[in-house]
Amino acid sequence: MKLRLIGHDSRYALEQIMLVLFPQEKVEFTEEPFRGDGVISRLSQGKRWLTATAKITRQGRTVHGAARCRMESAAEPMRRQILRQSFYRAALQLLPEAPSWGALSGVRPTKLVSRHLMAGGTRKSADRMLRQVYDVSPKRRELCLDAAEATMAALAKQQPGDISLYVGIPFCPTRCIYCSFVASAIEKSKNLLPAYLKALEQEIYAAAEGLKQNPRRIRTVYIGGGTPTTLDAGQMAWLLDTLHEAFDLSECLEFTVEAGRPDTLDPEKLRVIRDHGATRISINPQTMEDPVLDLLGRSHSSGDILRAYSQALEAGHRDINMDLIAGLPGDSPEGFRRTLSAVLALEPTNITVHTLALKKAATLYYEERTTLPTAEMVEEMLSDAAAALREHGYRPYYLYRQKYMTGSFENVGWSRNGYDNLYNIYMMEELHSILSLGAGGMTKIIDGTKITRLANPKYPQEYLRNIGEIAAKKREVVL
């Protein structure tokens, strides 16, 4: 679909909402007049009003939308807002029904609400904003408002200068067909692991040296991946001990190890994780339907998940997250209900419900998709999940959206009895700086509204080749 901008250059704002509302369309920017399908987005300035208009021609139909704001309010954020609103109001005439998230196109809808609350707004005024300005549906408004209140509770636990620590282990037993993360299957890259851990040690101590010159209180630690429990018990003990030795974790509120795949877990490794300071783990089934697990290439069964969970309890773990994905190939609303029922019977402290996102880096993107549930089926899965989780005492504590997500829905973290995953809130809501170590790590330095990102190389081989430079930079980082 062609896109011509007149009177402004807000490409990103328009491209993002087009991607959400017409995900199958490829955006092609043009500066010249055109015929046929496409969009003309115009921004016009008058004495009192700044007006945005959108003209969309698609499949032989032409529709129009408009939005405006007073000139005294026409700062850049408001300009982008009325441009998106004008496009949304036009596009709504071409869609079979209003999208659940309305005109919201960003990945962090909760951040919009939490900033409103921080500025003195109320739940009621935030709900009104989501309804009147963004046309968000009642169910999504409730999700967003509940998660924003959890954000405010997490904010109350931090002080100026607090940070979180992320450590990446980019290795997995096998690669799932939906996965877009940069992670190496261990059967092909096992020989890289010792060298990777040695390089990671170098970066850990360099970062710790930098922190000593610029002291910060570490509030949460998250070891992610990949699948960190691809490490054997000895390597895991070494990593956890190294982090405790390098950093002052005496005021850490939460220490997560993403255990992930049950085929990487055994009683010894689970005891090592618990005995060496971790307070929270994830055991992620994604689904409890064995035929779906086979399609995904997970190399484990639902029975393995039940075994791993039981062993985790025996090892002393009490704060356990479980991830599920709505919209997996071969799944159905009935199958997802069975999965949810099986997981709820285990009574984990956290359940994260993801919506399948089709990313170009994933094998599934290039495969036959006839087995994928429709957007309507995924909506049913998510609605069933929300109702069942609330009935069992869980509440949403964080949410985010991704590109290429089925139905443009969302991922939601649910918790009960106060077991919110603080790291995910601090990271997703950008409440404080995140020091990230390892391949693919993205350090975020938060200074008020300014965010500086420092990326490590994504691939383990590239990380190993550049570890000297990476470590040197970590000694100099001022968080």
Side-chain angles (χ1 to χ4, degrees):
M1 183 182 287
K2 289 184 170 61
L3 174 57
R4 185 181 179 203
L5 310 180
I6 300 175
H8 70 95
D9 60 356
S10 297
R11 289 188 170 204
Y12 184 78
L14 269 297
E15 188 176 27
Q16 291 308 296
I17 194 164
M18 288 178 69
L19 184 63
V20 168
L21 300 180
F22 302 110
Q24 306 306 321
E25 297 281 359
K26 183 179 179 181
V27 180
E28 178 188 344
F29 289 95
T30 179
E31 296 181 0
E32 303 297 326
F34 60 86
R35 293 188 177 186
D37 286 3
V39 180
I40 299 174
S41 173
R42 187 187 304 268
L43 195 63
S44 305
Q45 182 174 322
K47 290 183 178 180
R48 296 177 59 192
W49 298 96
L50 184 68
T51 303
T53 61
K55 175 184 175 183
I56 305 176
T57 301
R58 188 169 187 260
Q59 298 176 352
R61 243 186 110 187
T62 298
V63 293
H64 300 265
R68 67 180 186 173
C69 67
R70 290 189 175 275
M71 286 303 302
E72 59 265 27
S73 304
E76 187 55 34
M78 182 58 73
R79 288 170 177 256
R80 292 194 297 267
Q81 179 175 302
I82 63 173
L83 285 166
R84 286 192 295 262
Q85 284 177 326
S86 65
F87 181 90
Y88 174 78
R89 289 168 181 172
L92 203 55
Q93 302 167 62
L94 300 173
L95 298 173
E97 59 182 2
S100 295
W101 283 103
L104 274 179
S105 59
V107 299
R108 296 181 177 88
T110 309
K111 189 175 180 181
L112 177 72
V113 176
S114 60
R115 296 313 186 265
H116 177 84
L117 297 177
M118 289 175 199
T122 64
R123 182 180 176 107
K124 185 175 181 180
S125 63
D127 182 73
R128 184 167 58 249
M129 172 184 66
L130 291 175
R131 183 180 71 253
Q132 294 181 353
V133 177
Y134 297 101
D135 196 28
V136 179
S137 70
K139 287 183 180 179
R140 265 59 191 191
R141 294 203 307 271
E142 184 180 23
L143 278 177
C144 200
L145 293 164
D146 286 347
E149 289 181 344
T151 295
M152 299 303 287
L155 182 63
K157 295 180 180 180
Q158 75 171 28
Q159 297 174 8
D162 283 357
I163 66 168
S164 287
L165 176 65
Y166 175 86
V167 181
I169 306 295
F171 299 93
C172 282
T174 58
R175 188 174 180 86
C176 303
I177 64 172
Y178 59 79
C179 181
S180 62
F181 288 107
V182 177
S184 302
I186 199 66
E187 70 266 17
K188 296 181 180 179
S189 55
K190 191 172 184 178
N191 60 321
L192 281 178
L193 199 48
Y196 179 81
L197 293 177
K198 187 174 181 179
L200 181 60
E201 179 182 25
Q202 188 175 342
E203 188 185 11
I204 287 171
Y205 281 106
E209 186 180 330
L211 274 187
K212 287 175 183 175
Q213 301 171 39
N214 179 38
R216 291 288 183 265
R217 187 171 70 156
I218 298 176
R219 298 302 268 164
T220 72
V221 178
Y222 195 102
I223 301 180
T227 306
T229 44
T230 302
L231 304 182
D232 64 32
Q235 292 167 330
M236 180 61 69
W238 169 86
L239 176 58
L240 297 175
D241 287 344
T242 299
L243 292 173
H244 279 282
E245 181 180 292
F247 298 104
D248 178 3
L249 302 180
S250 60
E251 296 190 75
C252 182
L253 297 171
E254 170 190 278
F255 193 131
T256 300
V257 173
E258 199 170 276
R261 300 254 303 243
D263 48 335
T264 65
L265 299 174
D266 57 50
E268 180 189 8
K269 197 180 298 183
L270 287 162
R271 282 194 302 271
V272 163
I273 293 170
R274 181 64 183 168
D275 293 346
H276 289 256
T279 62
R280 180 180 182 274
I281 62 171
S282 295
I283 297 175
N284 300 331
Q286 316 303 3
T287 176
M288 295 294 279
E289 297 283 285
D290 285 329
V292 180
L293 287 170
D294 289 340
L295 277 175
L296 300 180
R298 291 282 285 182
S299 300
H300 66 78
S301 68
S302 57
D304 293 324
I305 296 161
L306 298 176
R307 168 196 56 77
Y309 195 91
S310 177
Q311 290 173 346
L313 293 179
E314 291 172 7
H317 292 281
R318 294 296 176 265
D319 190 358
I320 302 175
N321 172 75
M322 303 188 82
D323 279 6
L324 306 178
I325 300 178
L328 289 171
D331 207 357
S332 65
E334 295 76 18
F336 194 77
R337 280 193 287 271
R338 287 192 294 269
T339 288
L340 193 63
S341 178
V343 169
L344 283 170
L346 299 174
E347 300 185 335
T349 54
N350 283 227
I351 297 176
T352 306
V353 181
H354 295 269
T355 300
L356 180 69
L358 280 174
K359 299 293 188 71
K360 290 183 179 180
T363 304
L364 183 59
Y365 184 88
Y366 301 96
E367 293 191 349
E368 177 61 49
R369 302 179 193 172
T370 55
T371 60
L372 287 179
T374 64
E376 291 75 19
M377 293 166 71
V378 174
E379 168 74 348
E380 185 178 347
M381 295 177 188
L382 296 175
S383 294
D384 288 346
L389 287 161
R390 287 187 185 279
E391 183 181 345
H392 284 77
Y394 292 85
R395 285 180 65 82
Y397 67 92
Y398 93 111
L399 69 87
Y400 65 101
R401 302 171 71 200
Q402 293 175 281
K403 294 180 182 178
Y404 315 114
M405 194 175 257
T406 305
S408 295
F409 294 127
E410 67 284 323
N411 302 323
V412 183
W414 298 80
S415 70
R416 65 178 186 172
N417 301 328
Y419 282 97
D420 295 355
N421 179 203
L422 292 172
Y423 171 82
N424 275 337
I425 297 175
Y426 291 139
M427 180 271 298
M428 190 57 60
E429 297 301 303
E430 298 174 331
L431 297 179
H432 65 218
S433 296
I434 309 290
L435 175 60
S436 294
L437 312 176
M442 176 70 75
T443 293
K444 284 187 180 182
I445 303 172
I446 312 293
D447 182 11
T449 58
K450 180 184 177 183
I451 301 175
T452 303
R453 294 172 171 83
L454 305 172
N456 277 359
K458 289 184 178 180
Y459 297 96
Q461 297 92 333
E462 187 182 359
Y463 176 78
L464 291 173
R465 285 195 301 269
N466 294 280
I467 188 57
E469 180 183 350
I470 294 166
K473 287 182 178 178
K474 281 299 189 299
R475 290 188 188 94
E476 299 171 359
V477 168
V478 178
L479 296 168

